[in-house]
Amino acid sequence: YLLWEYRHGPAWWLLAGVGISAGMALTAKFSAILLLAVVALIVLSSPLIEGNYFLFPVRPKGNKPTYKLLQSAALICVLYGFALLVILPVYFFQGFEPWLLGFRQFLMLARAGMPGFFFGEYSYQGWWSYFIGCFLIKTPIGILALIIGSLFLFRLGRPLERRDAVFLLLPPLLIFAAMAQAKVNIGLRHILPVYPFLLLLASRLATVHRYPG
């Protein structure tokens, strides 16, 4: 959300807020490392998808695409810097080693896998379709219908513009793609972050009656 706000009104406090929020997520759950990839993907794909760049809240010194792209890359580095700084006080300023130790253990567990059950099968290696199947089975039919309807009726109501698609569709797609490689298939909770994006997408249907075609 803060990144969305920054996109519409760049400000230093919003930039810091995005980085600090990402850092807090990293200290809460190791799998939140995907957030860093999501932020980078949104920032770098924005010029290609909607023709706009994420820039610092300062007066621009040039309008060349190369300059803007470099500034977007620098913005990502600043966001990552804020996120990393949050880790230090959480671990009582013992450096990054405690967090890295836990992250390495997380990766070891992810590589080794855990016993799982899916459609009558047992496996330690997981299934690429596990989380897609869980999502379709455990998400209420009404919500699924609203999500699909919002995609099919993207021109009705408040149109689903490219910048909306960048923020609402890219993060869930990246999360699903990453989790398809996971060997730890033990529940829907691993993909819970996709729901806020998809519920916002579904809520767009509420604008249909206000914007007749």
Side-chain angles (χ1 to χ4, degrees):
Y1 171 75
L2 291 175
L3 188 61
W4 170 273
E5 290 290 340
Y6 184 88
R7 175 67 188 82
H8 290 81
W12 287 110
W13 72 271
L14 284 172
L15 185 63
V18 175
I20 292 172
S21 298
M24 293 173 67
L26 284 175
T27 59
K29 200 167 183 64
F30 291 115
S31 58
I33 194 76
L34 284 174
L35 283 177
L36 301 185
V38 167
V39 169
L41 185 62
I42 290 175
V43 171
L44 295 178
S45 66
S46 184
L48 300 175
I49 296 177
E50 57 170 319
N52 291 312
Y53 294 80
F54 280 81
L55 303 175
F56 288 112
V58 296
R59 182 178 299 177
K61 297 182 180 179
N63 291 317
K64 293 183 178 181
T66 303
Y67 169 80
K68 291 183 177 180
L69 187 60
L70 289 174
Q71 192 171 151
S72 295
L75 184 142
I76 293 173
C77 294
V78 172
L79 290 175
Y80 286 3
F82 277 117
L84 292 176
L85 288 176
V86 173
I87 294 176
L88 294 176
V90 172
Y91 286 88
F92 301 101
F93 298 97
Q94 298 181 61
F96 296 104
E97 187 56 33
W99 186 88
L100 290 172
L101 178 61
F103 186 65
R104 285 194 290 266
Q105 293 175 343
F106 165 77
L107 292 178
M108 289 175 59
L109 177 62
R111 294 192 190 101
M114 292 182 65
F117 179 81
F118 185 55
F119 285 140
E121 296 181 357
Y122 290 94
S123 175
Y124 275 85
Q125 303 302 310
W127 302 264
W128 69 268
S129 58
Y130 177 84
F131 288 104
I132 297 175
C134 284
F135 173 79
L136 294 175
I137 292 172
K138 294 192 175 183
T139 302
I141 295 176
I143 292 178
L144 290 175
L146 290 173
I147 294 171
I148 295 172
S150 182
L151 290 172
F152 274 98
L153 305 176
F154 68 96
R155 292 184 181 276
L156 297 181
R158 185 184 186 279
L160 182 64
E161 300 177 356
R162 290 185 177 182
R163 64 180 179 182
D164 300 324
V166 169
F167 279 88
L168 298 180
L169 295 179
L170 282 183
L173 288 174
L174 180 61
I175 292 171
F176 273 118
M179 297 310 297
Q181 313 301 318
K183 295 182 180 179
V184 179
N185 296 164
I186 56 173
L188 186 69
R189 66 182 183 273
H190 294 285
I191 59 166
L192 287 179
V194 306
Y195 281 97
F197 300 99
L198 296 178
L199 291 175
L200 282 173
L201 174 67
S203 67
R204 192 191 61 80
L205 288 179
T207 67
V208 170
H209 68 283
R210 292 190 296 162
Y211 295 88

